[in-house]
């Protein structure tokens, strides 16, 4: 008869341990920083301090659209850079329609520029202090700068970030399977 209560207590203790184990392991991970990844997933620099696209000093103000925007500062001769970002856009495959490219050129160079397919052209009214020739920015559909890249950013890094953002931000109206 004595084994019955002892057996019930043992079951209760095991059940309590089962529910407490995840909490204890999470507390240990946070306290001793064990098992928590230190690496970043974004290759670009987070840029929440930059103004929204509508506030950029462009000749013709741009507004937010329903697409992600890949904007790059092209103040000099940057046909190779424009082609590079066009190829990245094409490499997105079926996700390509979710991205627009915005090439921002110097005001005096605007008449001689021709837009590549899927690209919009704009010119700086006055180049901003935060802008840099050759810089690249990834903007959300709301026009907010998400990531910024320095000139000459590796194509693979930008592609990884862009694919990740498109994956974790599904298209509006798309049904989830």
């Amino acid at each position: 008869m004595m084994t019955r209560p002892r057996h019930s207590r043992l079951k209760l203790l095991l059940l309590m341990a089962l529910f407490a184990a995840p909490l204890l392991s999470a507390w240990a991970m946070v306290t001793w920083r064990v098992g928590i990844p230190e690496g970043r997933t974004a290759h670009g620099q987070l840029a929440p301090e930059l103004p929204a696209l509508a506030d950029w000093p462009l000749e013709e103000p741009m507004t937010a659209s329903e697409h992600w925007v890949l904007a790059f500062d092209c103040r000099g001769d940057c046909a190779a850079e424009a082609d590079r970002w066009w190829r990245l856009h094409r490499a997105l495959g079926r996700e390509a329609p979710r991205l627009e490219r915005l090439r921002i050129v110097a005001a005096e160079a605007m008449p001689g520029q021709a837009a590549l397919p899927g690209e919009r052209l704009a010119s700086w009214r006055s180049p901003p202090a935060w802008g840099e020739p050759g810089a690249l920015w990834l903007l959300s559909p709301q026009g907010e700068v998400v990531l910024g890249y320095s000139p000459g950013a590796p194509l693979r890094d930008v592609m990884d970030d862009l694919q990740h953002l498109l994956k974790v931000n599904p298209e509006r109206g798309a049904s989830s399977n």
Side-chain angles (χ1 to χ4, degrees), residues 72-75 81 85 132-136 149-153:
F72 61 101
D73 191 336
C74 182
R75 288 186 229 168
E81 282 295 301
W85 302 125
E132 181 181 0
L136 178 76
Y149 299 90
S150 58

Side-chain angles (χ1 to χ4, degrees), residues 51-105:
L53 181 60
D55 299 329
W56 285 17
L58 300 173
E59 288 291 335
E60 293 181 27
M62 297 284 178
T63 58
S65 70
E66 60 199 41
H67 303 293
W68 288 84
V69 177
L70 188 67
F72 61 101
D73 191 336
C74 182
R75 288 186 229 168
D77 180 30
C78 61
E81 282 295 301
D83 183 62
R84 182 178 180 215
W85 302 125
W86 176 76
R87 290 178 189 278
L88 174 130
H89 193 174
R90 299 285 299 160
L92 287 172
R94 65 185 174 117
E95 295 288 351
R98 294 182 58 198
L99 178 73
E100 291 180 1
R101 288 184 332 279
L102 174 63
R103 184 177 1 158
I104 307 171
V105 298

Side-chain angles (χ1 to χ4, degrees), residues 14-74:
L14 286 173
L15 189 60
M16 288 172 54
L18 180 69
F19 287 110
L23 293 172
L24 291 172
S25 63
W27 174 79
M29 287 174 70
V30 169
T31 302
W32 292 301
R33 307 287 301 161
V34 175
I36 298 174
E38 295 293 329
R40 298 176 359 163
T41 57
H43 299 286
Q45 298 295 317
L46 296 176
E49 72 281 351
L50 293 182
L53 181 60
D55 299 329
W56 285 17
L58 300 173
E59 288 291 335
E60 293 181 27
M62 297 284 178
T63 58
S65 70
E66 60 199 41
H67 303 293
W68 288 84
V69 177
L70 188 67
F72 61 101
D73 191 336
C74 182

